[in-house]
Amino acid sequence: MKISQTLFVTLKEEPADAEVRSHALMVRAGFIQQIAAGIYVYGPLMWRVLRKVEAIVRAEHDRVGGQELLMPALQPRELWEESGRWGRYVADKILYHFQDGRGRDVCLGPTHEEVITNFVKGKLSSYKQLPQTLYQIQTKFRDELRPRFGLMRGREFIMKDAYSFDADAESMAASYAVMREVYRRIFTRCGVRFTPVEADAGAIGGSGSEEFMVDADTGEDAIAVCRSTGYAANTEKAVSQIAPAPPAPAEVAMHREPTPGAKTCADLRALFPGLPLERMLKTILYRAVWADREQTVAVMCRGDREINVVKLQNHLGCLSVQLAEEKAVKAATGAEVGFAGPLGLQADVQLLADRSVEGVQGFLCGGNETDVHVLDVWFGRDLPQPPTYDFGLVQAGDLTRDGQGTIEITRGIEVGHIFQLGTKYSESMDCRYADEQGKLQPFHMGCYGIGISRTAAAAIEQGHDEAGMIWPLPIAPYHVMLIQMRAGDEAQDALAQELHDQLEAAGAEVLWDDRKMGAGAKFKDADLVGIPLRVVIGRDAGDRKVEWKPRVGGEVEVISADDVLGRVQAALAAASA
RNA sequence: CGGGGUGUACCUCAGCGGUAGAGGGGAAGCUUUGGGAGCUUCCAGCCGCGGGUUCGAAUCCCGCCACCCCGACCA
């Protein structure tokens, strides 16, 4: 393809609003254009990348018998009431929903469990048809509270979602294992470095769940990993062994002390230098919302630890948990924020504790009175220890749960997420098959998502340098950048045309820079767009000599034009191996 | 949803009471031709929207909207 005949427009200047490199580079290179917050046009080059990712995704799903279909983006409320998710998604403000011309509630699909379940109902009716996996690649809509980082978190984005249907839990686990392998193959083929991690199932629900994270410091997700044991989990889900409670001090009666302005553990450390953080118990107030009620929940936690809201929400089984507002804190404690404690909370507040408080005695906690904390408090003596659960957030340096290794926190971009749903949707939506005895049984389902557009962005986040993008060959918009130094030069025109035709005939995709521009500009554009293989046709064209100049690595080599095809084919073969 | 910031040409921005600007970009011409080349001419703007103050508003005031950032939140 000749650049002179394509919509190829690059920008010299950085877009002011791009925070991450992938976003800035894609805008500069004309790959994307923002239309509104989190909503983008994918330009021709970007679309080629997306189609390549899609092709890999399709090939790997088809390889294990996946069947592609296409479901509607526009969906009726009734379907979402059947699964019981309308309320939660509306409460989370993530659902685009509105009334159509006749006053019917509809939404733009953020995910498709409801539609797929409805679709297979009555079609998959016998155990003889199982297992089956269906998938689609389609635009998803989510009204993210804060879209950001270009394609990383959009409100409209391209996703592959797959759904498996099995007879029982064991078979579901087998289907899940197959998909886990499919995912590994997909991301490996895309040429990105990634880490599979244990994950929280969140709003989707179900039992087992793993995420596929592209390793990148700019990723939004924090991951707990252990090099020695291989443990890897999203910090939302991760469990660890925490340092034991410090020894109890000599037992003295609890006493209230003035602590003016001391609202944080750091403030209190300054006030009581002899008291270790581990003997300060914070009490944090949350507002938990269920479909039919709300409650203030107080959670105690050791001073050196943090609460993991996801674990708390899962324990409570509620729709959402957020930090209580100042007003609610005052109502529950009778004090300003920063002085909450377990003693003397309002009766309607549920008191829970993270397991980090277990064994802590003679501790400090909030006094439920502004500028007052209580010291030398003992569980058992001064108050019963609240029920404890694991609500803790893992921290770097924690031991793994088995004690065999140390946890590090790294970051990643979530590009895939797989779930064992179990019978959650098939039960609620009454989607069943007949087993060998002719008895109706709910399907055991799995669901599997890949952010297609996010994967492309993540590849850039991982592959770029000062000058621009560096695409992995399998998902690059073109394989070869053919840079012709002087358009109009007879020898160069002829050789470029010849190489272009030869390479294309051999199945290589060639972007031919035939523009009448300065050399510098062409090289800058080539660096920016990041097509991995590059051939420069310049002054030696008359002697059938060209330069072999890959986007990264390797020295520039002057080679015979007759060797170009071989080089390109070797690179393509190596990339698909 | 809280806090902060920004809206001026297709892009990046300057101008901050007195005739709408620069650079990039695009068009034309001449020169140039291996890492964003030079000169000349031209193109391009309801200064986010609405109200107010003023002889006069891009500029000051009020309201709204959009976008960005931090937080909250999030498959």
Side-chain angles (χ1 to χ4, degrees):
Chain A
M1 177 68 81
K2 287 183 177 177
I3 285 190
S4 64
Q5 290 166 12
T6 64
L7 197 164
F8 184 92
V9 180
T10 58
L11 265 32
K12 271 187 199 170
E13 275 147 329
E14 288 275 313
D17 54 4
E19 278 300 300
V20 297
R21 291 308 295 156
S22 63
H23 185 194
L25 291 171
M26 285 191 286
V27 171
R28 273 192 61 201
F31 277 47
I32 58 173
Q33 187 187 54
Q34 185 172 32
I35 288 301
I39 301 175
Y40 293 86
V41 174
Y42 306 119
L45 288 172
M46 187 67 206
W47 185 237
R48 290 181 70 95
V49 172
L50 293 171
R51 276 176 29 214
K52 297 233 174 144
V53 176
E54 288 183 8
I56 291 171
V57 166
R58 283 197 173 92
E60 291 300 327
H61 279 72
D62 292 348
R63 212 173 60 84
V64 298
Q67 304 159 74
E68 186 171 0
L69 79 170
L70 184 61
M71 293 181 270
L74 196 59
Q75 304 173 11
R77 174 175 181 164
E78 290 71 37
L79 225 41
W80 286 74
E81 292 292 359
E82 275 187 56
S83 68
R85 289 206 296 181
W86 183 269
R88 174 165 185 168
Y89 274 70
V90 168
D92 285 351
K93 296 198 170 77
I94 205 170
L95 196 67
Y96 283 103
H97 62 101
F98 49 92
Q99 294 194 332
D100 69 12
R102 297 190 203 172
R104 291 172 295 219
D105 281 322
V106 291
C107 67
L108 292 172
T111 173
H112 281 70
E113 280 81 6
E114 283 76 6
V115 178
I116 193 81
T117 308
N118 186 264
F119 174 70
V120 302
K121 198 191 280 194
K123 296 183 185 66
L124 276 182
S125 47
S126 160
Y127 74 95
K128 294 174 193 166
Q129 297 169 286
L130 302 182
Q132 295 218 17
T133 297
L134 299 159
Y135 75 94
Q136 67 170 347
I137 295 174
Q138 190 226 30
T139 300
K140 293 280 188 282
F141 299 87
R142 294 184 193 175
D143 194 1
E144 295 287 351
L145 296 169
R146 183 136 110 83
R148 60 180 142 183
F149 301 153
L151 298 188
M152 291 294 180
R153 179 167 297 274
R155 295 193 292 167
E156 175 180 330
F157 58 98
I158 302 173
M159 184 173 181
K160 184 280 311 184
D161 45 324
Y163 305 88
S164 64
F165 295 86
D166 278 279
D168 53 37
E170 197 181 332
S171 168
M172 171 185 73
S175 292
Y176 178 87
V178 167
M179 288 303 286
R180 179 202 280 142
E181 195 50 34
V182 165
Y183 272 46
R184 286 176 184 274
R185 290 179 57 95
I186 286 170
F187 295 118
T188 301
R189 278 187 64 183
C190 285
V192 294
R193 298 183 302 279
F194 65 98
T195 307
V197 304
E198 292 176 22
D200 181 76
I204 300 287
S207 46
S209 168
E210 284 164 276
E211 290 167 336
F212 288 76
M213 297 286 187
V214 167
D215 307 329
D217 292 337
T218 49
E220 287 190 272
D221 286 272
I223 314 166
V225 296
C226 172
R227 286 180 205 275
S228 45
T229 64
Y231 179 75
N234 191 310
T235 51
E236 290 179 347
K237 168 82 174 182
V239 291
S240 65
Q241 224 181 75
I242 62 174
E251 196 167 343
V252 296
M254 83 176 177
H255 48 106
R256 300 174 72 81
E257 296 292 339
T259 52
K263 299 180 171 193
T264 67
C265 286
D267 298 337
L268 291 159
R269 283 286 290 158
L271 227 49
F272 304 105
L275 192 62
L277 267 182
E278 292 80 357
R279 281 203 285 122
M280 296 182 183
L281 298 189
K282 335 184 235 206
T283 304
I284 301 168
L285 293 154
Y286 294 95
R287 194 73 187 156
V289 180
W290 288 263
D292 53 346
R293 68 198 167 96
E294 289 188 31
Q295 186 178 27
T296 301
V297 178
V299 185
M300 296 185 73
C301 168
R302 215 166 71 188
D304 60 323
R305 309 298 303 184
E306 302 288 335
I307 295 291
N308 180 338
V309 185
V310 173
K311 289 182 181 175
L312 176 62
Q313 180 169 341
N314 287 342
H315 172 80
L316 293 170
C318 54
L319 298 176
S320 78
V321 167
Q322 28 192 306
L323 273 179
E325 287 174 8
E326 200 176 327
K327 215 167 57 182
V329 173
K330 283 181 182 164
T333 65
E336 297 290 325
V337 174
F339 302 95
L343 295 156
L345 282 171
Q346 287 297 308
D348 61 346
V349 176
Q350 184 182 4
L351 181 62
L352 296 168
D354 175 54
R355 68 198 162 116
S356 61
V357 308
E358 289 170 12
V360 180
Q361 293 292 34
F363 55 84
L364 168 154
C365 59
N368 290 327
E369 179 184 342
T370 302
D371 295 341
V372 173
H373 280 79
V374 192
L375 277 78
D376 289 295
V377 184
W378 288 65
F379 284 130
R381 184 191 70 182
D382 303 317
L383 77 162
Q385 179 181 299
T388 61
Y389 304 92
D390 178 12
F391 296 138
L393 195 62
V394 288
Q395 295 175 1
D398 286 356
L399 292 179
T400 52
R401 180 161 243 186
D402 60 13
Q404 299 300 301
T406 307
I407 283 177
E408 288 176 58
I409 306 293
T410 66
R411 301 198 75 83
I413 300 162
E414 180 194 343
V415 290
H417 199 159
I418 59 179
F419 305 81
Q420 296 187 46
L421 293 175
T423 56
K424 175 174 170 170
Y425 295 92
S426 49
E427 295 265 19
S428 65
M429 298 183 68
D430 195 29
C431 184
R432 298 167 203 278
Y433 69 96
D435 67 12
E436 289 91 326
Q437 280 77 46
K439 276 184 61 180
L440 287 183
Q441 303 286 358
F443 290 108
H444 286 253
M445 294 172 56
C447 77
Y448 316 89
I450 288 179
I452 301 286
S453 39
R454 189 186 276 183
T455 299
I460 293 301
E461 207 50 51
Q462 206 174 57
H464 67 264
D465 61 17
E466 283 303 300
M469 310 189 270
I470 303 170
W471 287 104
L473 191 54
I475 61 172
Y478 287 88
H479 300 134
V480 183
M481 184 90 194
L482 190 60
I483 306 175
Q484 183 182 344
M485 299 308 300
R486 292 187 66 166
D489 175 281
E490 225 171 274
Q492 290 189 24
D493 284 349
L495 189 57
Q497 184 74 55
E498 178 194 328
L499 281 179
H500 170 270
D501 294 349
Q502 180 194 39
L503 289 168
E504 293 258 309
E509 299 161 1
V510 182
L511 188 60
W512 172 7
D513 192 346
D514 63 330
R515 295 173 296 175
K516 294 184 195 288
M517 293 177 60
K522 290 190 178 189
F523 285 127
K524 292 283 188 202
D525 274 346
D527 289 343
L528 177 61
V529 171
I531 291 166
L533 307 178
R534 295 199 307 207
V535 175
V536 181
I537 296 178
R539 42 174 102 84
D540 300 328
D543 302 328
R544 296 186 64 74
K545 295 273 190 226
V546 301
E547 286 164 42
W548 178 257
K549 186 176 173 136
R551 172 64 176 83
V552 282
E555 294 299 297
V556 179
E557 279 181 81
V558 177
I559 65 172
S560 162
D562 302 314
D563 296 336
V564 170
L565 179 61
R567 295 256 182 154
V568 170
Q569 285 177 323
L572 288 174
S576 63

